[in-house]
Amino acid sequence: MHKIRTISLHWSATTFLVWVASILLLVYIALISIVMTYATLTVEFAESVRDDQSAVASLEASYLEEVRALSSVDYRSLGFVEPKAKVFVKSAPVTALR
């Protein structure tokens, strides 16, 4: 008959604890890198939001400046006159199917 071999692992408590400590160290390093990546992405997103807000603010300021310039024009000095009568033309109602 064949002899059945038994594989015996010679694991001491110290070897086991070294393996556990090294695995925990790798997990800790992975978690630190994930947290640092998340923090970096959060800061970059906040900066892009701030840049977008400043771009919108500058566009809004230029828009308001143009509205102010148009509102302050004296059209009579440019030769325009007020209409003598206002007439509204009736038409058929417009629907989405037409």
Side-chain angles (χ1 to χ4, degrees):
M1 287 234 182
H2 297 289
K3 282 188 175 180
I4 298 176
R5 281 191 184 182
T6 58
I7 299 174
S8 63
L9 298 175
H10 299 288
W11 287 70
S12 66
T14 306
T15 307
F16 177 73
L17 290 177
V18 166
W19 276 102
V20 169
S22 62
I23 290 172
L24 288 176
L25 180 66
L26 289 175
V27 169
Y28 178 74
I29 291 171
L31 288 176
I32 291 288
S33 66
I34 290 170
V35 168
M36 294 301 288
T37 303
Y38 176 75
T40 303
L41 292 175
T42 302
V43 168
E44 287 178 0
F45 178 71
E47 288 175 354
S48 71
V49 167
R50 188 190 62 213
D51 293 342
D52 291 344
Q53 285 176 343
S54 66
V56 167
S58 66
L59 288 173
E60 184 178 8
S62 65
Y63 168 76
L64 291 175
E65 180 64 28
E66 291 296 323
V67 168
R68 188 196 58 78
L70 288 174
S71 299
S72 65
V73 172
D74 183 19
Y75 292 104
R76 290 178 195 243
S77 67
L78 296 175
F80 292 100
V81 294
E82 276 192 50
K84 294 182 179 171
K86 295 180 183 177
V87 178
F88 297 98
V89 180
K90 291 186 176 183
S91 65
V94 178
T95 63
L97 299 177
R98 192 165 85 152

